[in-house]
Amino acid sequence: MPANVIEVQDLAVEYGRGKRRFRAVDGVTFRVAEGECVGFIGANGAGKSSTMKAIMGFLFPAAGHVRVFGEDAGTARSRQRIGYLPEVALYYPFMKARELLELYGGLSGLTRVSLRKRIPEILDRVGLAGRAESLLRDFSKGMQQRLGIAQALIADPEALILDELSSGLDPIGRHDLRDVLMELRRRGRTIFFSSHELTEVESLCDRVIIIHGGKIVTQATVAELMRPLSEIEISFVTGNGSSLPASLTALRPHVADGHGTLIVDSPTRCAEAILALSGAGCQVRRTSTRVRSLEDHFIELVGATRRAP
Amino acid sequence: MIATIPVTPARAMSLIGRGVFIELLRRKDAYVLLVLVGLHALAVLTVSIVGVQNPATGTFLLNLGLTLTHFASHLLVMLLAVRQIPAEIDGRTLYPLLAKPIERRTFLLGKWSACTACGAGALLLMVVLVWVPAPKLEAYSLGLLAQALALQTVSLGLVAAVSLLLSLLVPRGVALVAVCLTVFLGDKVASLSAAQAADSPFERPLRWLLAYVPDFSKLDLFTRLTDGIAPLSVAAFTGLAAWGALCTAAALALSAHLFERRAL
């Protein structure tokens, strides 16, 4: 069984004091195992960044504990093997890209010799080749984000914690980033990231954790989350004067001008519905499987939580 | 996997310090102060070429230049130190930095040592700019000059430490004003307020409070130098340097205590 890289147990994070005290994260528990790619999703203000900051030791838990590679969060040893991309990546405007990466690489333990080789390599990897000597004040938001990814990857860490990783990136940037993460996954790196791009989460992750209102709503593998979401749509033409049996009207078919569609949630029900339609004189034209996206599931889950009293 | 070496606190401090040097070189405030001292040097050079007959005038010019150097180097350190941590927090540059395997106190010490080194470097450069063109019609003790430079450096270290501490407690504008008042007018404000509070119920608490405010004038020997007074005894010099170092250590320890417990 792979070792845990991140262990979060009953974590609570609070802001403010006295009457203004507000609990942003409340009793969050999860683990990220070695080699896993885990997506952490939630609406704005759900508690994602607060949880990530607690993992990095920037915020102190009001309750619970966080361990990284078996060390208490916040210690230098716990950050030894981690690359971190903050939610908003801003870097010293007076520095050049090379100087910035020398700073972060040096602090990660890279020698001057290895930095000389690594910096052009990593800048090329994130699409900033030839910008080593440019001042960061001239970098766009997307370029700053690419540089942020470069600084997180500079020492080729064993685990990556990426907060809002595709923020500010254009579609090409997102595509490049997906390639980088795919390669890291293939090399067995542990990745824990938050993103509002749910298609990205869906395509990259082994597992998804959904947080809302500071509490975890669900955590499951992508396959587990998607399984109950498969739907089969049956298109049919109604026979002259035929009426649908009660077993089908319960499925709320949509019928207009002699053409109808109905949706069932499993192949067995699909077979039953086709038999019933044929029995009622209808002609089945087509069946198609509709797989609902993670986004549909997320909106449904979070929406239900919002509506709950 | 890329081979890495353990990052010692000294290496981390030097890397963080390098960032402060780069900032100093690429921002304008250091150049403004340097130009100011340069203009003074130019004026003194012009006067020297024209010819100064009176030794008192020569001493006055040198004293003026050294005082300007004292103000400029201290102001530079204040401006630099007071913005280091607030700017890192406001600019969100602190997160990727502290995500690396370094302790917060190492980060703080790196900033402090870099601010002090920048101030000491600027001081040395400005003293040379002021000393070389000044007409020297009187003999000045080189021993006392060395003592003065050493204590000025101790003073710059203390200014950097106090500036970092105050920047963690109050907004940076307030911190800058408070450090300016303490460094440049601290001794005068202290003696005036002590005299005002004499025989009042506030006398004791005020004396208690003032005992914790470092007196920076003790570390400024430039006037003693131009007044032609003898160098300090070894014991007096060591005592002053130790007092400055102790105050600096106390300010840094308190800063580290506050910074390590701060949620970011």
Side-chain angles (χ1 to χ4, degrees), chain B residues 65-84:
Chain B
L66 290 174
T67 306
L68 186 65
T69 296
H70 168 82
F71 273 96
S73 58
H74 281 69
L75 195 61
L76 178 72
V77 170
M78 282 174 212
L79 287 169
L80 204 55
V82 93
R83 71 164 173 251
Q84 287 304 319

mmCIF file with all atom_site columns, all heavy atoms in Angstrom, chain B residues 65-84:
data_model
loop_
_atom_site.group_PDB
_atom_site.id
_atom_site.type_symbol
_atom_site.label_atom_id
_atom_site.label_alt_id
_atom_site.label_comp_id
_atom_site.label_asym_id
_atom_site.label_entity_id
_atom_site.label_seq_id
_atom_site.pdbx_PDB_ins_code
_atom_site.Cartn_x
_atom_site.Cartn_y
_atom_site.Cartn_z
_atom_site.occupancy
_atom_site.B_iso_or_equiv
_atom_site.pdbx_formal_charge
_atom_site.auth_seq_id
_atom_site.auth_comp_id
_atom_site.auth_asym_id
_atom_site.auth_atom_id
_atom_site.pdbx_PDB_model_num
ATOM 1   N N   . GLY B 1 65 ? 29.350 66.704 6.003  1.00 0.00 ? 65 GLY B N   1
ATOM 2   C CA  . GLY B 1 65 ? 29.348 65.551 5.103  1.00 0.00 ? 65 GLY B CA  1
ATOM 3   C C   . GLY B 1 65 ? 29.124 64.250 5.847  1.00 0.00 ? 65 GLY B C   1
ATOM 4   O O   . GLY B 1 65 ? 28.323 63.409 5.433  1.00 0.00 ? 65 GLY B O   1
ATOM 5   N N   . LEU B 1 66 ? 29.813 64.104 6.985  1.00 0.00 ? 66 LEU B N   1
ATOM 6   C CA  . LEU B 1 66 ? 29.662 62.856 7.755  1.00 0.00 ? 66 LEU B CA  1
ATOM 7   C C   . LEU B 1 66 ? 28.258 62.742 8.346  1.00 0.00 ? 66 LEU B C   1
ATOM 8   O O   . LEU B 1 66 ? 27.684 61.651 8.406  1.00 0.00 ? 66 LEU B O   1
ATOM 9   C CB  . LEU B 1 66 ? 30.725 62.779 8.857  1.00 0.00 ? 66 LEU B CB  1
ATOM 10  C CG  . LEU B 1 66 ? 32.165 62.563 8.367  1.00 0.00 ? 66 LEU B CG  1
ATOM 11  C CD1 . LEU B 1 66 ? 33.147 62.643 9.524  1.00 0.00 ? 66 LEU B CD1 1
ATOM 12  C CD2 . LEU B 1 66 ? 32.316 61.215 7.667  1.00 0.00 ? 66 LEU B CD2 1
ATOM 13  N N   . THR B 1 67 ? 27.698 63.879 8.770  1.00 0.00 ? 67 THR B N   1
ATOM 14  C CA  . THR B 1 67 ? 26.327 63.862 9.305  1.00 0.00 ? 67 THR B CA  1
ATOM 15  C C   . THR B 1 67 ? 25.344 63.465 8.199  1.00 0.00 ? 67 THR B C   1
ATOM 16  O O   . THR B 1 67 ? 24.432 62.669 8.421  1.00 0.00 ? 67 THR B O   1
ATOM 17  C CB  . THR B 1 67 ? 25.967 65.257 9.882  1.00 0.00 ? 67 THR B CB  1
ATOM 18  O OG1 . THR B 1 67 ? 26.971 65.609 10.822 1.00 0.00 ? 67 THR B OG1 1
ATOM 19  C CG2 . THR B 1 67 ? 24.617 65.261 10.555 1.00 0.00 ? 67 THR B CG2 1
ATOM 20  N N   . LEU B 1 68 ? 25.592 64.015 7.013  1.00 0.00 ? 68 LEU B N   1
ATOM 21  C CA  . LEU B 1 68 ? 24.744 63.664 5.860  1.00 0.00 ? 68 LEU B CA  1
ATOM 22  C C   . LEU B 1 68 ? 24.850 62.169 5.567  1.00 0.00 ? 68 LEU B C   1
ATOM 23  O O   . LEU B 1 68 ? 23.842 61.489 5.301  1.00 0.00 ? 68 LEU B O   1
ATOM 24  C CB  . LEU B 1 68 ? 25.203 64.480 4.644  1.00 0.00 ? 68 LEU B CB  1
ATOM 25  C CG  . LEU B 1 68 ? 24.369 64.359 3.380  1.00 0.00 ? 68 LEU B CG  1
ATOM 26  C CD1 . LEU B 1 68 ? 22.981 64.926 3.598  1.00 0.00 ? 68 LEU B CD1 1
ATOM 27  C CD2 . LEU B 1 68 ? 25.044 65.094 2.224  1.00 0.00 ? 68 LEU B CD2 1
ATOM 28  N N   . THR B 1 69 ? 26.057 61.653 5.659  1.00 0.00 ? 69 THR B N   1
ATOM 29  C CA  . THR B 1 69 ? 26.299 60.223 5.444  1.00 0.00 ? 69 THR B CA  1
ATOM 30  C C   . THR B 1 69 ? 25.544 59.380 6.473  1.00 0.00 ? 69 THR B C   1
ATOM 31  O O   . THR B 1 69 ? 24.921 58.370 6.134  1.00 0.00 ? 69 THR B O   1
ATOM 32  C CB  . THR B 1 69 ? 27.828 59.972 5.571  1.00 0.00 ? 69 THR B CB  1
ATOM 33  O OG1 . THR B 1 69 ? 28.456 60.661 4.535  1.00 0.00 ? 69 THR B OG1 1
ATOM 34  C CG2 . THR B 1 69 ? 28.174 58.521 5.490  1.00 0.00 ? 69 THR B CG2 1
ATOM 35  N N   . HIS B 1 70 ? 25.600 59.830 7.722  1.00 0.00 ? 70 HIS B N   1
ATOM 36  C CA  . HIS B 1 70 ? 24.893 59.134 8.811  1.00 0.00 ? 70 HIS B CA  1
ATOM 37  C C   . HIS B 1 70 ? 23.387 59.093 8.519  1.00 0.00 ? 70 HIS B C   1
ATOM 38  O O   . HIS B 1 70 ? 22.764 58.026 8.564  1.00 0.00 ? 70 HIS B O   1
ATOM 39  C CB  . HIS B 1 70 ? 25.182 59.859 10.137 1.00 0.00 ? 70 HIS B CB  1
ATOM 40  C CG  . HIS B 1 70 ? 24.309 59.438 11.266 1.00 0.00 ? 70 HIS B CG  1
ATOM 41  N ND1 . HIS B 1 70 ? 24.557 58.302 12.013 1.00 0.00 ? 70 HIS B ND1 1
ATOM 42  C CD2 . HIS B 1 70 ? 23.179 59.973 11.780 1.00 0.00 ? 70 HIS B CD2 1
ATOM 43  C CE1 . HIS B 1 70 ? 23.612 58.166 12.934 1.00 0.00 ? 70 HIS B CE1 1
ATOM 44  N NE2 . HIS B 1 70 ? 22.773 59.177 12.819 1.00 0.00 ? 70 HIS B NE2 1
ATOM 45  N N   . PHE B 1 71 ? 22.830 60.248 8.164  1.00 0.00 ? 71 PHE B N   1
ATOM 46  C CA  . PHE B 1 71 ? 21.386 60.326 7.877  1.00 0.00 ? 71 PHE B CA  1
ATOM 47  C C   . PHE B 1 71 ? 21.029 59.466 6.665  1.00 0.00 ? 71 PHE B C   1
ATOM 48  O O   . PHE B 1 71 ? 20.087 58.685 6.696  1.00 0.00 ? 71 PHE B O   1
ATOM 49  C CB  . PHE B 1 71 ? 20.960 61.785 7.623  1.00 0.00 ? 71 PHE B CB  1
ATOM 50  C CG  . PHE B 1 71 ? 20.612 62.515 8.876  1.00 0.00 ? 71 PHE B CG  1
ATOM 51  C CD1 . PHE B 1 71 ? 21.534 63.321 9.515  1.00 0.00 ? 71 PHE B CD1 1
ATOM 52  C CD2 . PHE B 1 71 ? 19.340 62.400 9.446  1.00 0.00 ? 71 PHE B CD2 1
ATOM 53  C CE1 . PHE B 1 71 ? 21.222 63.993 10.692 1.00 0.00 ? 71 PHE B CE1 1
ATOM 54  C CE2 . PHE B 1 71 ? 19.025 63.071 10.620 1.00 0.00 ? 71 PHE B CE2 1
ATOM 55  C CZ  . PHE B 1 71 ? 19.966 63.871 11.250 1.00 0.00 ? 71 PHE B CZ  1
ATOM 56  N N   . ALA B 1 72 ? 21.816 59.630 5.600  1.00 0.00 ? 72 ALA B N   1
ATOM 57  C CA  . ALA B 1 72 ? 21.488 58.934 4.346  1.00 0.00 ? 72 ALA B CA  1
ATOM 58  C C   . ALA B 1 72 ? 21.557 57.421 4.513  1.00 0.00 ? 72 ALA B C   1
ATOM 59  O O   . ALA B 1 72 ? 20.656 56.704 4.075  1.00 0.00 ? 72 ALA B O   1
ATOM 60  C CB  . ALA B 1 72 ? 22.437 59.391 3.240  1.00 0.00 ? 72 ALA B CB  1
ATOM 61  N N   . SER B 1 73 ? 22.609 56.923 5.167  1.00 0.00 ? 73 SER B N   1
ATOM 62  C CA  . SER B 1 73 ? 22.733 55.456 5.307  1.00 0.00 ? 73 SER B CA  1
ATOM 63  C C   . SER B 1 73 ? 21.645 54.902 6.218  1.00 0.00 ? 73 SER B C   1
ATOM 64  O O   . SER B 1 73 ? 21.074 53.831 5.949  1.00 0.00 ? 73 SER B O   1
ATOM 65  C CB  . SER B 1 73 ? 24.124 55.075 5.819  1.00 0.00 ? 73 SER B CB  1
ATOM 66  O OG  . SER B 1 73 ? 24.364 55.692 7.051  1.00 0.00 ? 73 SER B OG  1
ATOM 67  N N   . HIS B 1 74 ? 21.330 55.633 7.296  1.00 0.00 ? 74 HIS B N   1
ATOM 68  C CA  . HIS B 1 74 ? 20.271 55.168 8.203  1.00 0.00 ? 74 HIS B CA  1
ATOM 69  C C   . HIS B 1 74 ? 18.901 55.201 7.518  1.00 0.00 ? 74 HIS B C   1
ATOM 70  O O   . HIS B 1 74 ? 18.102 54.282 7.663  1.00 0.00 ? 74 HIS B O   1
ATOM 71  C CB  . HIS B 1 74 ? 20.266 55.987 9.502  1.00 0.00 ? 74 HIS B CB  1
ATOM 72  C CG  . HIS B 1 74 ? 21.335 55.549 10.459 1.00 0.00 ? 74 HIS B CG  1
ATOM 73  N ND1 . HIS B 1 74 ? 22.658 55.754 10.227 1.00 0.00 ? 74 HIS B ND1 1
ATOM 74  C CD2 . HIS B 1 74 ? 21.263 54.878 11.632 1.00 0.00 ? 74 HIS B CD2 1
ATOM 75  C CE1 . HIS B 1 74 ? 23.377 55.240 11.226 1.00 0.00 ? 74 HIS B CE1 1
ATOM 76  N NE2 . HIS B 1 74 ? 22.545 54.705 12.093 1.00 0.00 ? 74 HIS B NE2 1
ATOM 77  N N   . LEU B 1 75 ? 18.666 56.266 6.765  1.00 0.00 ? 75 LEU B N   1
ATOM 78  C CA  . LEU B 1 75 ? 17.391 56.393 6.055  1.00 0.00 ? 75 LEU B CA  1
ATOM 79  C C   . LEU B 1 75 ? 17.243 55.275 5.012  1.00 0.00 ? 75 LEU B C   1
ATOM 80  O O   . LEU B 1 75 ? 16.173 54.685 4.860  1.00 0.00 ? 75 LEU B O   1
ATOM 81  C CB  . LEU B 1 75 ? 17.326 57.775 5.378  1.00 0.00 ? 75 LEU B CB  1
ATOM 82  C CG  . LEU B 1 75 ? 15.954 58.227 4.905  1.00 0.00 ? 75 LEU B CG  1
ATOM 83  C CD1 . LEU B 1 75 ? 14.982 58.331 6.063  1.00 0.00 ? 75 LEU B CD1 1
ATOM 84  C CD2 . LEU B 1 75 ? 16.040 59.569 4.188  1.00 0.00 ? 75 LEU B CD2 1
ATOM 85  N N   . LEU B 1 76 ? 18.339 54.981 4.351  1.00 0.00 ? 76 LEU B N   1
ATOM 86  C CA  . LEU B 1 76 ? 18.328 53.912 3.343  1.00 0.00 ? 76 LEU B CA  1
ATOM 87  C C   . LEU B 1 76 ? 17.947 52.571 3.990  1.00 0.00 ? 76 LEU B C   1
ATOM 88  O O   . LEU B 1 76 ? 17.090 51.841 3.476  1.00 0.00 ? 76 LEU B O   1
ATOM 89  C CB  . LEU B 1 76 ? 19.714 53.808 2.689  1.00 0.00 ? 76 LEU B CB  1
ATOM 90  C CG  . LEU B 1 76 ? 19.859 52.706 1.647  1.00 0.00 ? 76 LEU B CG  1
ATOM 91  C CD1 . LEU B 1 76 ? 19.094 53.067 0.394  1.00 0.00 ? 76 LEU B CD1 1
ATOM 92  C CD2 . LEU B 1 76 ? 21.326 52.470 1.313  1.00 0.00 ? 76 LEU B CD2 1
ATOM 93  N N   . VAL B 1 77 ? 18.556 52.274 5.127  1.00 0.00 ? 77 VAL B N   1
ATOM 94  C CA  . VAL B 1 77 ? 18.268 51.005 5.817  1.00 0.00 ? 77 VAL B CA  1
ATOM 95  C C   . VAL B 1 77 ? 16.810 50.971 6.282  1.00 0.00 ? 77 VAL B C   1
ATOM 96  O O   . VAL B 1 77 ? 16.120 49.957 6.133  1.00 0.00 ? 77 VAL B O   1
ATOM 97  C CB  . VAL B 1 77 ? 19.248 50.789 6.995  1.00 0.00 ? 77 VAL B CB  1
ATOM 98  C CG1 . VAL B 1 77 ? 18.809 49.617 7.855  1.00 0.00 ? 77 VAL B CG1 1
ATOM 99  C CG2 . VAL B 1 77 ? 20.641 50.528 6.459  1.00 0.00 ? 77 VAL B CG2 1
ATOM 100 N N   . MET B 1 78 ? 16.344 52.107 6.808  1.00 0.00 ? 78 MET B N   1
ATOM 101 C CA  . MET B 1 78 ? 14.936 52.170 7.256  1.00 0.00 ? 78 MET B CA  1
ATOM 102 C C   . MET B 1 78 ? 13.986 51.896 6.099  1.00 0.00 ? 78 MET B C   1
ATOM 103 O O   . MET B 1 78 ? 13.080 51.075 6.207  1.00 0.00 ? 78 MET B O   1
ATOM 104 C CB  . MET B 1 78 ? 14.612 53.575 7.786  1.00 0.00 ? 78 MET B CB  1
ATOM 105 C CG  . MET B 1 78 ? 15.101 53.857 9.160  1.00 0.00 ? 78 MET B CG  1
ATOM 106 S SD  . MET B 1 78 ? 14.747 55.602 9.439  1.00 0.00 ? 78 MET B SD  1
ATOM 107 C CE  . MET B 1 78 ? 16.104 55.998 10.483 1.00 0.00 ? 78 MET B CE  1
ATOM 108 N N   . LEU B 1 79 ? 14.217 52.627 4.996  1.00 0.00 ? 79 LEU B N   1
ATOM 109 C CA  . LEU B 1 79 ? 13.334 52.479 3.823  1.00 0.00 ? 79 LEU B CA  1
ATOM 110 C C   . LEU B 1 79 ? 13.343 51.045 3.298  1.00 0.00 ? 79 LEU B C   1
ATOM 111 O O   . LEU B 1 79 ? 12.319 50.511 2.905  1.00 0.00 ? 79 LEU B O   1
ATOM 112 C CB  . LEU B 1 79 ? 13.771 53.435 2.698  1.00 0.00 ? 79 LEU B CB  1
ATOM 113 C CG  . LEU B 1 79 ? 13.476 54.913 2.916  1.00 0.00 ? 79 LEU B CG  1
ATOM 114 C CD1 . LEU B 1 79 ? 14.194 55.753 1.871  1.00 0.00 ? 79 LEU B CD1 1
ATOM 115 C CD2 . LEU B 1 79 ? 11.974 55.181 2.855  1.00 0.00 ? 79 LEU B CD2 1
ATOM 116 N N   . LEU B 1 80 ? 14.519 50.466 3.344  1.00 0.00 ? 80 LEU B N   1
ATOM 117 C CA  . LEU B 1 80 ? 14.675 49.106 2.815  1.00 0.00 ? 80 LEU B CA  1
ATOM 118 C C   . LEU B 1 80 ? 14.042 48.079 3.769  1.00 0.00 ? 80 LEU B C   1
ATOM 119 O O   . LEU B 1 80 ? 13.266 47.215 3.338  1.00 0.00 ? 80 LEU B O   1
ATOM 120 C CB  . LEU B 1 80 ? 16.181 48.838 2.660  1.00 0.00 ? 80 LEU B CB  1
ATOM 121 C CG  . LEU B 1 80 ? 16.639 47.790 1.667  1.00 0.00 ? 80 LEU B CG  1
ATOM 122 C CD1 . LEU B 1 80 ? 16.086 48.070 0.288  1.00 0.00 ? 80 LEU B CD1 1
ATOM 123 C CD2 . LEU B 1 80 ? 18.170 47.755 1.618  1.00 0.00 ? 80 LEU B CD2 1
ATOM 124 N N   . ALA B 1 81 ? 14.360 48.209 5.046  1.00 0.00 ? 81 ALA B N   1
ATOM 125 C CA  . ALA B 1 81 ? 13.928 47.172 6.015  1.00 0.00 ? 81 ALA B CA  1
ATOM 126 C C   . ALA B 1 81 ? 12.434 47.229 6.300  1.00 0.00 ? 81 ALA B C   1
ATOM 127 O O   . ALA B 1 81 ? 11.781 46.196 6.437  1.00 0.00 ? 81 ALA B O   1
ATOM 128 C CB  . ALA B 1 81 ? 14.722 47.323 7.308  1.00 0.00 ? 81 ALA B CB  1
ATOM 129 N N   . VAL B 1 82 ? 11.913 48.464 6.355  1.00 0.00 ? 82 VAL B N   1
ATOM 130 C CA  . VAL B 1 82 ? 10.516 48.613 6.774  1.00 0.00 ? 82 VAL B CA  1
ATOM 131 C C   . VAL B 1 82 ? 9.545  48.026 5.741  1.00 0.00 ? 82 VAL B C   1
ATOM 132 O O   . VAL B 1 82 ? 8.440  47.637 6.064  1.00 0.00 ? 82 VAL B O   1
ATOM 133 C CB  . VAL B 1 82 ? 10.254 50.105 7.080  1.00 0.00 ? 82 VAL B CB  1
ATOM 134 C CG1 . VAL B 1 82 ? 9.719  50.853 5.907  1.00 0.00 ? 82 VAL B CG1 1
ATOM 135 C CG2 . VAL B 1 82 ? 9.381  50.268 8.299  1.00 0.00 ? 82 VAL B CG2 1
ATOM 136 N N   . ARG B 1 83 ? 9.988  47.927 4.481  1.00 0.00 ? 83 ARG B N   1
ATOM 137 C CA  . ARG B 1 83 ? 9.065  47.427 3.465  1.00 0.00 ? 83 ARG B CA  1
ATOM 138 C C   . ARG B 1 83 ? 9.252  45.936 3.168  1.00 0.00 ? 83 ARG B C   1
ATOM 139 O O   . ARG B 1 83 ? 8.431  45.351 2.467  1.00 0.00 ? 83 ARG B O   1
ATOM 140 C CB  . ARG B 1 83 ? 9.182  48.232 2.178  1.00 0.00 ? 83 ARG B CB  1
ATOM 141 C CG  . ARG B 1 83 ? 10.441 48.015 1.411  1.00 0.00 ? 83 ARG B CG  1
ATOM 142 C CD  . ARG B 1 83 ? 10.312 48.518 -0.013 1.00 0.00 ? 83 ARG B CD  1
ATOM 143 N NE  . ARG B 1 83 ? 11.584 48.451 -0.679 1.00 0.00 ? 83 ARG B NE  1
ATOM 144 C CZ  . ARG B 1 83 ? 12.317 49.498 -1.008 1.00 0.00 ? 83 ARG B CZ  1
ATOM 145 N NH1 . ARG B 1 83 ? 11.901 50.705 -0.740 1.00 0.00 ? 83 ARG B NH1 1
ATOM 146 N NH2 . ARG B 1 83 ? 13.468 49.345 -1.618 1.00 0.00 ? 83 ARG B NH2 1
ATOM 147 N N   . GLN B 1 84 ? 10.336 45.350 3.655  1.00 0.00 ? 84 GLN B N   1
ATOM 148 C CA  . GLN B 1 84 ? 10.637 43.974 3.247  1.00 0.00 ? 84 GLN B CA  1
ATOM 149 C C   . GLN B 1 84 ? 9.482  42.996 3.482  1.00 0.00 ? 84 GLN B C   1
ATOM 150 O O   . GLN B 1 84 ? 8.985  42.391 2.543  1.00 0.00 ? 84 GLN B O   1
ATOM 151 C CB  . GLN B 1 84 ? 11.899 43.459 3.952  1.00 0.00 ? 84 GLN B CB  1
ATOM 152 C CG  . GLN B 1 84 ? 13.184 44.068 3.443  1.00 0.00 ? 84 GLN B CG  1
ATOM 153 C CD  . GLN B 1 84 ? 13.391 43.895 1.954  1.00 0.00 ? 84 GLN B CD  1
ATOM 154 O OE1 . GLN B 1 84 ? 13.120 42.840 1.404  1.00 0.00 ? 84 GLN B OE1 1
ATOM 155 N NE2 . GLN B 1 84 ? 13.854 44.930 1.294  1.00 0.00 ? 84 GLN B NE2 1
#
